[in-house]
Amino acid sequence: MSMDSIRELAERVRGNVNRVIVGKEDVIDKLLIALIASGHVLLEDVPGTGKTLLAKALAESLDCSFRRIQFTPDLLPSDLSGIHFFNQKHAEFEFRPGPLFTNILLADEINRATPRTQSSLLECMEERQISIDGETRTLQRPFLVIATQNPIENQGTFPLPEAQLDRFLFKIRMGYPSTEEGLAILKRFKETNPLAHIQSVAGSADIIAAQDAYSAVTATDDVLSYLLRLVERTREHKEIAVGVSPRGSQALLKAAQVHAILRGGIS
C-alpha cells in the first residue's frame, strides 16, 4: 500500500466518524494514528463526553470484529481470555474464546477492574497473544484496545499501574464541546442516533496493509537524535516521576511516521 493510499484510507474513516462525532478532529486523528501504528488508546474524561460513542463510531467504520467489555471489580481474567470447558457430547475439553479475541476491543471503565484482571491485558496488548493453560494463542490482526476511564471518581477504582499505562500509545482527554459544537450535537442527535446509520468504509485487510507499509517512511538520523533528546529530557526532568521508556521512544517514532503520512507530507 502506498503512502497516498494510507492517507486516503484515513480520510475515509475520519469522514465516517465525523458523521457521528462533532468536532474532536485531533482526537480522531490520534485514534487513526494508533490504529495504523498498532498502538492502543486510553480515553480519560468525565462521563458523557463521548468516549464510548467515539470508540463505537470507529468500530462501525471498519469491517472488523468489535467487542465491548464493561469492567467491574468482579471481572476475572478468564472472563476476558476465555476458558476450557468439558463438552459432554464429545467427551473432551474445548476452548471457548473470550472477548479478547477480536479486532477492536472497547474496555469500558478499565480502572474499575482489579489489578489482577488489568494485568491480564499486558501480554495481549504488547505481544498480540494470550497464554491460557500453558498454551499460547495468537490474536488476529488488526488488534486495537480502546480503554476508557473516569478521572474524577476514586471509590471502587484501581488506578492503572505504570506497566499498564506504558502499553498505551496515547492517553487522550475528550474535553467539553464549545458552544457551537454543543448546538450541533443537539441538532444531530435530536431525532435519531447517527451511529445507527453509518456503514463500514474500510476492511481489516486495508488496515493490515497500512500497518505493514507506514514504517517505510524515512526517519533521518537528525530526526532520530531529536526524538531521543526529547525522550531523555523526560527522564531528567525533576517534575516527571517516570520518564519515557525505550518502548515509549519506539512508539513515538511510529506515531510520528503515521502522523507525517496523514498530514500529507509523504507520498
Side-chain angles (χ1 to χ4, degrees):
M1 177 178 281
S2 67
M3 302 301 109
D4 287 336
S5 297
I6 295 177
R7 187 160 50 251
E8 292 170 1
L9 169 67
E11 289 174 354
R12 290 201 310 271
V13 177
R14 184 191 299 113
N16 217 39
V17 174
N18 278 331
R19 295 176 59 189
V20 179
I21 302 297
V22 176
K24 312 304 179 188
E25 294 288 344
D26 183 61
V27 175
I28 296 173
D29 280 350
K30 285 186 173 66
L31 269 182
L32 292 173
I33 290 173
L35 176 66
I36 297 173
S38 300
H40 306 288
V41 176
L42 176 62
L43 298 175
E44 181 184 74
D45 218 315
V46 297
T49 51
K51 301 185 296 295
T52 301
L53 184 64
L54 174 61
K56 286 184 175 180
L58 176 65
E60 291 293 334
S61 299
L62 306 175
D63 187 17
C64 301
S65 58
F66 170 71
R67 300 291 297 272
R68 175 185 178 181
I69 307 173
Q70 187 66 46
F71 277 63
T72 56
D74 60 348
L75 193 71
L76 299 176
S78 59
D79 295 328
L80 302 177
S81 60
I83 59 172
H84 284 93
F85 73 101
F86 187 74
N87 189 324
Q88 295 183 346
K89 181 178 180 180
H90 298 94
E92 62 182 7
F93 282 95
E94 295 182 1
F95 178 67
R96 179 179 294 164
L100 286 181
F101 289 87
T102 188
N103 296 127
I104 300 178
L105 175 70
L106 172 57
D108 234 346
E109 296 188 284
I110 188 174
N111 57 331
R112 291 198 177 278
T114 62
R116 178 187 177 191
T117 302
Q118 291 176 6
S119 64
S120 65
L121 289 172
L122 294 178
E123 182 183 14
C124 69
M125 291 177 67
E126 177 64 20
E127 302 175 33
R128 270 64 175 181
Q129 65 182 30
I130 305 175
S131 298
I132 305 169
D133 296 335
E135 182 180 355
T136 300
R137 297 177 180 270
T138 303
L139 297 174
Q140 291 183 344
R141 296 177 62 195
F143 179 66
L144 169 67
V145 175
I146 303 176
T148 71
Q149 68 176 10
N150 177 4
I152 64 174
E153 290 186 10
N154 295 320
Q155 187 174 1
T157 63
F158 303 89
L160 296 178
E162 294 297 333
Q164 184 77 46
L165 290 173
D166 201 44
R167 262 65 175 184
F168 290 100
L169 177 60
F170 292 120
K171 180 180 179 181
I172 306 172
R173 291 184 179 273
M174 296 288 291
Y176 286 117
S178 64
T179 302
E180 293 76 13
E181 291 172 344
L183 182 60
I185 290 172
L186 292 177
K187 291 180 177 180
R188 183 173 297 185
F189 287 82
K190 182 177 61 175
E191 297 179 357
T192 183
N193 187 343
L195 181 65
H197 304 290
I198 67 171
Q199 298 180 343
S200 61
V201 295
S204 58
D206 298 319
I207 302 303
I208 293 172
Q211 291 177 341
D212 291 338
Y214 81 88
S215 59
V217 173
T218 301
T220 64
D221 288 345
D222 289 340
V223 171
L224 296 179
S225 297
Y226 176 69
L227 185 150
L228 189 57
R229 289 200 299 273
L230 290 177
V231 168
E232 290 174 343
R233 292 298 183 271
T234 68
R235 300 169 184 169
E236 300 166 356
H237 201 288
K238 62 181 181 180
E239 296 184 6
I240 299 178
V242 180
V244 176
S245 68
R247 180 193 292 118
S249 62
Q250 295 174 57
L252 179 57
L253 173 60
K254 294 176 181 179
Q257 289 175 300
V258 178
H259 184 261
I261 297 173
L262 300 191
R263 290 294 297 269
I266 305 296
S267 61

